[in-house]
Tab-separated table of all heavy atoms in Angstrom:
chain	number	residue	atom	x	y	z
A	1	VAL	N	182.385	-35.435	67.699
A	1	VAL	CA	183.788	-35.438	68.125
A	1	VAL	C	184.542	-36.582	67.459
A	1	VAL	O	185.671	-36.408	66.968
A	1	VAL	CB	183.885	-35.538	69.662
A	1	VAL	CG1	185.337	-35.793	70.093
A	1	VAL	CG2	183.350	-34.260	70.312
A	2	SER	N	183.912	-37.741	67.387
A	2	SER	CA	184.549	-38.910	66.776
A	2	SER	C	184.861	-38.670	65.301
A	2	SER	O	185.927	-39.064	64.811
A	2	SER	CB	183.638	-40.129	66.940
A	2	SER	OG	184.213	-41.255	66.331
A	3	CYS	N	183.951	-38.022	64.589
A	3	CYS	CA	184.185	-37.737	63.161
A	3	CYS	C	185.394	-36.826	62.969
A	3	CYS	O	186.174	-37.007	62.030
A	3	CYS	CB	182.938	-37.107	62.539
A	3	CYS	SG	181.618	-38.276	62.197
A	4	VAL	N	185.543	-35.851	63.866
A	4	VAL	CA	186.703	-34.955	63.787
A	4	VAL	C	187.983	-35.711	64.148
A	4	VAL	O	188.980	-35.652	63.426
A	4	VAL	CB	186.523	-33.738	64.713
A	4	VAL	CG1	187.787	-32.878	64.723
A	4	VAL	CG2	185.318	-32.892	64.269
A	5	GLU	N	187.939	-36.433	65.265
A	5	GLU	CA	189.146	-37.097	65.759
A	5	GLU	C	189.633	-38.205	64.827
A	5	GLU	O	190.832	-38.482	64.757
A	5	GLU	CB	188.892	-37.638	67.165
A	5	GLU	CG	188.771	-36.515	68.209
A	5	GLU	CD	188.525	-37.030	69.611
A	5	GLU	OE1	188.109	-38.206	69.748
A	5	GLU	OE2	188.737	-36.250	70.563
A	6	GLN	N	188.702	-38.825	64.084
A	6	GLN	CA	189.097	-39.889	63.163
A	6	GLN	C	189.469	-39.368	61.776
A	6	GLN	O	189.768	-40.144	60.871
A	6	GLN	CB	187.988	-40.935	63.061
A	6	GLN	CG	187.801	-41.698	64.367
A	6	GLN	CD	186.926	-42.925	64.213
A	6	GLN	OE1	186.768	-43.476	63.131
A	6	GLN	NE2	186.354	-43.364	65.315
A	7	GLY	N	189.448	-38.044	61.617
A	7	GLY	CA	189.917	-37.456	60.367
A	7	GLY	C	188.920	-37.456	59.231
A	7	GLY	O	189.299	-37.255	58.073
A	8	ALA	N	187.633	-37.648	59.548
A	8	ALA	CA	186.622	-37.633	58.484
A	8	ALA	C	186.321	-36.213	58.013
A	8	ALA	O	185.961	-35.999	56.850
A	8	ALA	CB	185.335	-38.298	58.974
A	9	ILE	N	186.455	-35.242	58.926
A	9	ILE	CA	186.081	-33.849	58.615
A	9	ILE	C	187.049	-32.878	59.277
A	9	ILE	O	187.751	-33.221	60.230
A	9	ILE	CB	184.638	-33.526	59.084
A	9	ILE	CG1	184.479	-33.830	60.584
A	9	ILE	CG2	183.623	-34.283	58.242
A	9	ILE	CD1	183.151	-33.377	61.181
A	10	ASP	N	187.041	-31.640	58.757
A	10	ASP	CA	187.868	-30.554	59.297
A	10	ASP	C	187.032	-29.548	60.097
A	10	ASP	O	187.522	-28.964	61.056
A	10	ASP	CB	188.568	-29.800	58.153
A	10	ASP	CG	189.373	-30.717	57.264
A	10	ASP	OD1	190.260	-31.412	57.792
A	10	ASP	OD2	189.110	-30.755	56.043
A	11	TRP	N	185.810	-29.302	59.640
A	11	TRP	CA	184.911	-28.338	60.281
A	11	TRP	C	183.584	-29.029	60.583
A	11	TRP	O	183.258	-30.065	59.990
A	11	TRP	CB	184.617	-27.146	59.362
A	11	TRP	CG	185.755	-26.220	59.076
A	11	TRP	CD1	187.102	-26.449	59.198
A	11	TRP	CD2	185.635	-24.886	58.567
A	11	TRP	NE1	187.818	-25.355	58.795
A	11	TRP	CE2	186.950	-24.375	58.400
A	11	TRP	CE3	184.554	-24.075	58.215
A	11	TRP	CZ2	187.205	-23.091	57.927
A	11	TRP	CZ3	184.798	-22.796	57.734
A	11	TRP	CH2	186.125	-22.300	57.594
A	12	ILE	N	182.808	-28.404	61.483
A	12	ILE	CA	181.514	-28.949	61.903
A	12	ILE	C	180.381	-28.040	61.424
A	12	ILE	O	180.459	-26.818	61.586
A	12	ILE	CB	181.452	-29.053	63.444
A	12	ILE	CG1	182.493	-30.052	63.964
A	12	ILE	CG2	180.048	-29.436	63.914
A	12	ILE	CD1	182.744	-29.927	65.459
A	13	GLN	N	179.335	-28.644	60.874
A	13	GLN	CA	178.125	-27.906	60.482
A	13	GLN	C	176.943	-28.481	61.254
A	13	GLN	O	176.555	-29.629	61.034
A	13	GLN	CB	177.892	-28.010	58.976
A	13	GLN	CG	176.643	-27.285	58.497
A	13	GLN	CD	176.516	-27.338	56.984
A	13	GLN	OE1	177.530	-27.267	56.267
A	13	GLN	NE2	175.306	-27.466	56.479
A	14	LEU	N	176.370	-27.689	62.146
A	14	LEU	CA	175.206	-28.108	62.928
A	14	LEU	C	173.947	-27.620	62.214
A	14	LEU	O	173.709	-26.414	62.117
A	14	LEU	CB	175.286	-27.522	64.342
A	14	LEU	CG	176.532	-27.901	65.151
A	14	LEU	CD1	176.549	-27.167	66.483
A	14	LEU	CD2	176.609	-29.413	65.356
A	15	HIS	N	173.161	-28.555	61.728
A	15	HIS	CA	172.050	-28.173	60.857
A	15	HIS	C	170.673	-28.474	61.473
A	15	HIS	O	169.660	-28.504	60.767
A	15	HIS	CB	172.189	-28.886	59.506
A	15	HIS	CG	171.715	-28.047	58.347
A	15	HIS	ND1	172.575	-27.344	57.542
A	15	HIS	CD2	170.472	-27.774	57.886
A	15	HIS	CE1	171.871	-26.696	56.615
A	15	HIS	NE2	170.602	-26.940	56.804
A	16	GLY	N	170.651	-28.721	62.787
A	16	GLY	CA	169.379	-29.022	63.438
A	16	GLY	C	168.973	-27.951	64.426
A	16	GLY	O	169.068	-26.760	64.139
A	17	ASP	N	168.528	-28.396	65.608
A	17	ASP	CA	168.051	-27.471	66.645
A	17	ASP	C	169.083	-27.312	67.754
A	17	ASP	O	168.734	-27.040	68.905
A	17	ASP	CB	166.738	-28.003	67.235
A	17	ASP	CG	165.692	-28.256	66.150
A	17	ASP	OD1	165.442	-27.339	65.355
A	17	ASP	OD2	165.154	-29.382	66.092
A	18	GLU	N	170.343	-27.473	67.418
A	18	GLU	CA	171.397	-27.434	68.431
A	18	GLU	C	171.436	-26.066	69.132
A	18	GLU	O	171.281	-25.026	68.498
A	18	GLU	CB	172.761	-27.722	67.792
A	18	GLU	CG	172.875	-29.103	67.177
A	18	GLU	CD	172.382	-29.181	65.739
A	18	GLU	OE1	172.016	-28.120	65.167
A	18	GLU	OE2	172.374	-30.291	65.178
A	19	SER	N	171.692	-26.124	70.431
A	19	SER	CA	171.656	-24.926	71.265
A	19	SER	C	173.042	-24.310	71.432
A	19	SER	O	174.065	-24.899	71.061
A	19	SER	CB	171.125	-25.296	72.657
A	19	SER	OG	172.038	-26.190	73.281
A	20	GLU	N	173.053	-23.129	72.051
A	20	GLU	CA	174.312	-22.484	72.419
A	20	GLU	C	175.119	-23.392	73.348
A	20	GLU	O	176.348	-23.468	73.242
A	20	GLU	CB	174.019	-21.147	73.101
A	20	GLU	CG	175.213	-20.482	73.761
A	20	GLU	CD	176.270	-19.995	72.782
A	20	GLU	OE1	176.036	-20.016	71.554
A	20	GLU	OE2	177.352	-19.610	73.242
A	21	ASP	N	174.437	-24.104	74.233
A	21	ASP	CA	175.108	-25.025	75.155
A	21	ASP	C	175.856	-26.118	74.385
A	21	ASP	O	176.991	-26.459	74.721
A	21	ASP	CB	174.073	-25.645	76.097
A	21	ASP	CG	174.724	-26.545	77.131
A	21	ASP	OD1	175.643	-26.077	77.836
A	21	ASP	OD2	174.326	-27.721	77.233
A	22	MET	N	175.228	-26.640	73.348
A	22	MET	CA	175.864	-27.670	72.511
A	22	MET	C	177.104	-27.102	71.810
A	22	MET	O	178.163	-27.748	71.758
A	22	MET	CB	174.856	-28.167	71.469
A	22	MET	CG	175.450	-29.052	70.399
A	22	MET	SD	175.671	-30.742	70.957
A	22	MET	CE	175.439	-31.624	69.415
A	23	ILE	N	176.994	-25.902	71.286
A	23	ILE	CA	178.130	-25.271	70.610
A	23	ILE	C	179.292	-25.112	71.584
A	23	ILE	O	180.446	-25.430	71.278
A	23	ILE	CB	177.722	-23.903	70.014
A	23	ILE	CG1	176.697	-24.091	68.887
A	23	ILE	CG2	178.951	-23.149	69.491
A	23	ILE	CD1	176.031	-22.809	68.424
A	24	ARG	N	178.993	-24.649	72.793
A	24	ARG	CA	180.042	-24.437	73.798
A	24	ARG	C	180.706	-25.757	74.207
A	24	ARG	O	181.921	-25.830	74.378
A	24	ARG	CB	179.462	-23.728	75.021
A	24	ARG	CG	179.138	-22.264	74.759
A	24	ARG	CD	178.704	-21.541	76.031
A	24	ARG	NE	178.323	-20.174	75.742
A	24	ARG	CZ	179.182	-19.164	75.613
A	24	ARG	NH1	180.497	-19.400	75.736
A	24	ARG	NH2	178.757	-17.947	75.353
A	25	LYS	N	179.892	-26.803	74.353
A	25	LYS	CA	180.445	-28.109	74.721
A	25	LYS	C	181.396	-28.633	73.651
A	25	LYS	O	182.455	-29.199	73.951
A	25	LYS	CB	179.311	-29.105	74.953
A	25	LYS	CG	178.627	-28.923	76.304
A	25	LYS	CD	177.479	-29.891	76.490
A	25	LYS	CE	176.851	-29.704	77.873
A	25	LYS	NZ	175.601	-30.502	78.028
A	26	LEU	N	181.017	-28.453	72.390
A	26	LEU	CA	181.905	-28.885	71.301
A	26	LEU	C	183.181	-28.060	71.280
A	26	LEU	O	184.276	-28.585	71.048
A	26	LEU	CB	181.175	-28.785	69.960
A	26	LEU	CG	180.073	-29.826	69.714
A	26	LEU	CD1	179.253	-29.463	68.499
A	26	LEU	CD2	180.670	-31.221	69.548
A	27	LYS	N	183.060	-26.766	71.543
A	27	LYS	CA	184.236	-25.889	71.542
A	27	LYS	C	185.198	-26.227	72.683
A	27	LYS	O	186.410	-26.035	72.561
A	27	LYS	CB	183.802	-24.417	71.629
A	27	LYS	CG	183.318	-23.859	70.290
A	27	LYS	CD	183.002	-22.387	70.393
A	27	LYS	CE	182.880	-21.752	69.023
A	27	LYS	NZ	184.140	-21.636	68.294
A	28	GLU	N	184.651	-26.744	73.771
A	28	GLU	CA	185.504	-27.154	74.889
A	28	GLU	C	186.340	-28.382	74.530
A	28	GLU	O	187.434	-28.570	75.051
A	28	GLU	CB	184.641	-27.467	76.116
A	28	GLU	CG	184.102	-26.226	76.814
A	28	GLU	CD	183.042	-26.554	77.847
A	28	GLU	OE1	182.816	-27.763	78.114
A	28	GLU	OE2	182.407	-25.614	78.371
A	29	ARG	N	185.817	-29.210	73.632
A	29	ARG	CA	186.470	-30.480	73.299
A	29	ARG	C	187.267	-30.428	71.997
A	29	ARG	O	188.162	-31.254	71.786
A	29	ARG	CB	185.418	-31.588	73.207
A	29	ARG	CG	184.710	-31.820	74.535
A	29	ARG	CD	183.638	-32.876	74.440
A	29	ARG	NE	184.181	-34.203	74.155
A	29	ARG	CZ	183.427	-35.300	74.061
A	29	ARG	NH1	182.116	-35.221	74.229
A	29	ARG	NH2	183.977	-36.464	73.793
A	30	LEU	N	186.941	-29.497	71.136
A	30	LEU	CA	187.566	-29.442	69.812
A	30	LEU	C	187.986	-28.017	69.480
A	30	LEU	O	187.369	-27.061	69.947
A	30	LEU	CB	186.579	-29.937	68.742
A	30	LEU	CG	186.075	-31.372	68.861
A	30	LEU	CD1	184.845	-31.567	67.976
A	30	LEU	CD2	187.161	-32.376	68.495
A	31	SER	N	188.990	-27.884	68.632
A	31	SER	CA	189.432	-26.545	68.217
A	31	SER	C	189.238	-26.367	66.716
A	31	SER	O	190.126	-25.901	66.012
A	31	SER	CB	190.892	-26.333	68.603
A	31	SER	OG	191.704	-27.335	68.010
A	32	VAL	N	188.063	-26.798	66.223
A	32	VAL	CA	187.769	-26.646	64.798
A	32	VAL	C	186.598	-25.675	64.633
A	32	VAL	O	185.771	-25.533	65.537
A	32	VAL	CB	187.422	-28.009	64.136
A	32	VAL	CG1	188.588	-28.975	64.308
A	32	VAL	CG2	186.145	-28.602	64.708
A	33	PRO	N	186.516	-24.984	63.493
A	33	PRO	CA	185.408	-24.058	63.277
A	33	PRO	C	184.047	-24.761	63.269
A	33	PRO	O	183.930	-25.904	62.827
A	33	PRO	CB	185.715	-23.451	61.903
A	33	PRO	CG	187.208	-23.587	61.759
A	33	PRO	CD	187.525	-24.891	62.423
A	34	ILE	N	183.041	-24.043	63.774
A	34	ILE	CA	181.679	-24.559	63.824
A	34	ILE	C	180.738	-23.611	63.081
A	34	ILE	O	180.723	-22.405	63.339
A	34	ILE	CB	181.194	-24.721	65.280
A	34	ILE	CG1	182.061	-25.754	66.016
A	34	ILE	CG2	179.718	-25.116	65.335
A	34	ILE	CD1	181.742	-25.896	67.500
A	35	LEU	N	179.966	-24.185	62.151
A	35	LEU	CA	178.882	-23.456	61.483
A	35	LEU	C	177.575	-23.841	62.150
A	35	LEU	O	177.357	-25.009	62.476
A	35	LEU	CB	178.749	-23.867	60.015
A	35	LEU	CG	179.636	-23.257	58.957
A	35	LEU	CD1	181.043	-23.794	59.085
A	35	LEU	CD2	179.073	-23.563	57.574
A	36	LYS	N	176.690	-22.875	62.310
A	36	LYS	CA	175.335	-23.178	62.780
A	36	LYS	C	174.354	-22.749	61.699
A	36	LYS	O	174.344	-21.594	61.275
A	36	LYS	CB	175.027	-22.444	64.093
A	36	LYS	CG	173.602	-22.700	64.606
A	36	LYS	CD	173.415	-24.163	65.005
A	36	LYS	CE	171.969	-24.479	65.395
A	36	LYS	NZ	171.096	-24.734	64.242
A	37	ALA	N	173.560	-23.701	61.253
A	37	ALA	CA	172.576	-23.409	60.213
A	37	ALA	C	171.350	-22.720	60.818
A	37	ALA	O	170.921	-23.037	61.928
A	37	ALA	CB	172.159	-24.694	59.508
A	38	VAL	N	170.799	-21.783	60.062
A	38	VAL	CA	169.567	-21.087	60.423
A	38	VAL	C	168.551	-21.364	59.327
A	38	VAL	O	168.813	-21.101	58.154
A	38	VAL	CB	169.786	-19.558	60.500
A	38	VAL	CG1	168.560	-18.880	61.084
A	38	VAL	CG2	171.038	-19.214	61.261
């Protein structure tokens, strides 16, 4: 969230073992696109 809010990035790429719960929590706080790596 800090990286987005401080203007370092426009979109988020989750490249680890992040869950659906993590994706939803980020979506609740931010309105930027999220990529999930497989």
Side-chain angles (χ1 to χ4, degrees):
V1 170
S2 178
C3 283
V4 175
E5 290 180 342
Q6 293 192 22
I9 55 172
D10 305 303
W11 292 20
I12 296 164
Q13 179 176 323
L14 301 175
H15 215 99
D17 305 308
E18 297 87 4
S19 64
E20 169 68 9
D21 183 54
M22 170 80 149
I23 294 169
R24 288 186 183 278
K25 282 178 178 172
L26 288 169
K27 281 184 165 290
E28 285 169 7
R29 297 178 66 178
L30 299 164
S31 58
V32 301
I34 297 175
L35 277 72
K36 178 66 185 82
V38 189

